[in-house]
Amino acid sequence: RIALRKWDAAEKIVEEIWFPKHASDLDNCAHVVVKYEPTEDPKHPGYGDEKYIARRAELNRIANSYKYGNPIPIVEYTEEEHDTWRQAYAMLKQLRPTHTCREYQVNIQRMEDAGVITPNEIPSLRDLSAYIQKRTGFELRPCGGLLSARDFLASLAFRVFQATLYVRHHSAPQHCPEPDVIHEILGHCPMFADPEMAQLSQEIGLLSLGASDSEIERLSTLYWFIIEFGLSKEADGTFKAIGAGLISAYGELQHACSDAPSHEPFDPEVTALRTYEDSEYQPVYFVAESIQDAMERLRKYAKSFKRSVVTVYNPYARTVEQVNRW
Ligand code: NLE
Ligand code: FE2
């Protein structure tokens, strides 16, 4: 695809940036960042495991050949992969009542009642996508690894969540340094079935369309600290995870809700400028009063963005339209 817009020193647009205008344009928004993969990162639990690396490559090939409108591929997972799921699922289930937010608990319970999340085998992304679509209009599409922030955020604007297919290494069922299908299913899927979380995610996505590189950086930092690693305050004053990266990682979930790390209120002005950890626990966690409160703060913050247009989603045509702001 051809990129994009240029900015002059005063951050005025001299040339427009390309961004997807229809959900089918997401076929051009699947650029993978490879630096955390087991081929690149010696700290990855699968580093040097040739069989694991080949299996991932196979699943990523399937994901990368996906095009808009295709049915989500049904993956035949191996017994070892199902076993990794079983272990992660069982341990995380123990923490569910004490460490996860109300929205998560309600939605995962419903998904279990509906049989789309099961303890013994890796659920089907096709079934999960159909389920979530009925609740919030969000759908899944497979992707071949960690995507560039610009591509990943753009898909959220269309209520599309790009999900990996491969499974974390079997030696580390409770933590993965990058997204994997267990993180997508146990962390994200129940949260995308929540209407407020779906709205918050889409609004971050809409803000990212045609944004400058520095705005993308700030939006992906906000995404990271709220959608992946956010906490919310429950009525009794305790902190519970809303972030998918916490909910799918046993150790970090306990750590984040404990007194060990520092906790700060979620304030986009401040949060957007922090740096985050990709493969270690976060140095700080941000606490929102609620998902609704996080959304109101994001909207206020977004007003400060230097943009001549606002992007509006048309759900009937699945298009994004621009409306002049000034
Ligand atoms: N560390 C998370 C997990 O183990 O599930 C994945 C984080 C992806 C951003
Ligand atoms: Fe994630």
Side-chain angles (χ1 to χ4, degrees):
R1 92 188 184 204
I2 4 114
L4 300 282
R5 118 321 315 267
K6 303 262 168 4
W7 299 75
D8 67 13
E11 285 222 4
K12 267 182 62 198
I13 306 176
V14 243
E15 191 185 313
E16 273 303 314
I17 270 217
W18 180 89
F19 64 85
K21 308 291 188 313
H22 183 266
S24 60
D25 295 336
L26 296 175
D27 288 348
N28 298 315
C29 299
H31 297 86
V32 171
V33 178
V34 292
K35 64 179 171 172
Y36 306 107
E37 299 205 353
T39 43
E40 312 287 325
D41 177 4
K43 283 192 300 188
H44 194 291
Y47 187 72
D49 181 340
E50 294 305 328
K51 202 171 137 223
Y52 178 71
I53 289 168
R55 172 63 171 160
R56 285 169 59 104
E58 181 190 347
L59 294 180
N60 286 342
R61 260 195 311 277
I62 296 175
N64 288 328
S65 66
Y66 182 87
K67 290 282 173 278
Y68 173 78
N70 290 356
I72 296 177
I74 305 281
V75 175
E76 292 271 345
Y77 286 106
T78 65
E79 193 39 46
E80 184 176 83
E81 288 165 337
H82 286 307
D83 190 58
T84 306
W85 163 265
R86 278 194 282 277
Q87 294 186 52
Y89 176 90
M91 294 286 277
L92 289 169
K93 188 154 189 175
Q94 294 173 12
L95 296 183
R96 204 189 282 175
T98 46
H99 289 70
T100 69
C101 66
R102 190 176 37 80
E103 291 83 357
Y104 182 77
Q105 294 188 37
V106 168
N107 283 300
I108 192 164
Q109 184 62 52
R110 285 185 181 146
M111 292 165 116
E112 289 174 345
D113 294 345
V116 289
I117 292 188
T118 50
N120 291 326
E121 48 188 66
I122 301 175
S124 142
L125 286 185
R126 190 188 286 182
D127 293 350
L128 277 163
S129 183
Y131 178 94
I132 301 168
Q133 224 171 338
K134 279 205 271 182
R135 300 206 67 91
T136 61
F138 246 93
E139 68 178 280
L140 306 175
R141 82 170 261 163
C143 70
L146 180 70
L147 297 182
S148 77
R150 187 178 286 281
D151 285 352
F152 180 76
L153 294 176
S155 63
L156 298 176
F158 297 85
R159 295 208 173 205
V160 171
F161 178 66
Q162 303 215 48
T164 51
L165 299 180
Y166 58 82
V167 183
R168 61 190 59 187
H169 197 257
H170 59 91
S171 67
Q174 309 307 340
H175 190 263
C176 184
E178 44 166 5
D180 77 317
V181 77
I182 296 181
H183 164 70
E184 319 293 21
I185 295 175
L186 284 179
H188 286 291
C189 286
M191 293 310 290
F192 282 123
D194 175 71
E196 285 178 353
M197 195 58 160
Q199 186 66 28
L200 173 63
S201 304
Q202 182 178 28
E203 289 189 22
I204 296 176
L206 284 165
L207 286 167
S208 79
L209 299 178
S212 68
D213 290 344
S214 67
E215 285 170 344
I216 291 286
E217 182 61 34
R218 282 179 277 154
L219 288 168
S220 61
T221 304
L222 289 176
Y223 174 88
W224 183 267
F225 279 121
I226 196 77
I227 312 269
E228 293 289 357
F229 292 94
L231 297 170
S232 70
K233 213 185 269 171
E234 299 282 298
D236 63 0
T238 57
F239 298 157
K240 301 283 157 86
I242 55 179
L246 291 178
I247 292 173
S248 63
Y250 187 78
E252 188 163 7
L253 178 54
Q254 288 175 301
H255 170 77
C257 297
S258 76
D259 293 335
S262 58
H263 295 106
E264 291 180 33
F266 176 70
D267 173 0
E269 303 274 352
V270 176
T271 308
L273 302 176
R274 293 302 178 80
T275 52
Y276 54 82
E277 267 307 320
D278 296 303
S279 53
E280 307 284 333
Y281 291 173
Q282 305 310 309
V284 53
Y285 296 92
F286 290 93
V287 184
E289 293 298 318
S290 62
I291 298 171
Q292 185 66 38
D293 178 63
M295 188 147 58
E296 280 156 21
R297 285 168 184 266
L298 174 79
R299 285 175 182 161
K300 221 168 118 210
Y301 175 69
K303 293 210 175 100
S304 71
F305 274 36
K306 295 192 195 94
R307 312 185 76 194
S308 56
V309 293
V310 286
T311 42
V312 179
Y313 185 58
N314 174 344
Y316 311 110
R318 305 206 66 189
T319 52
V320 161
E321 287 155 19
Q322 298 187 26
V323 181
N324 287 337
R325 195 164 120 186
W326 58 70

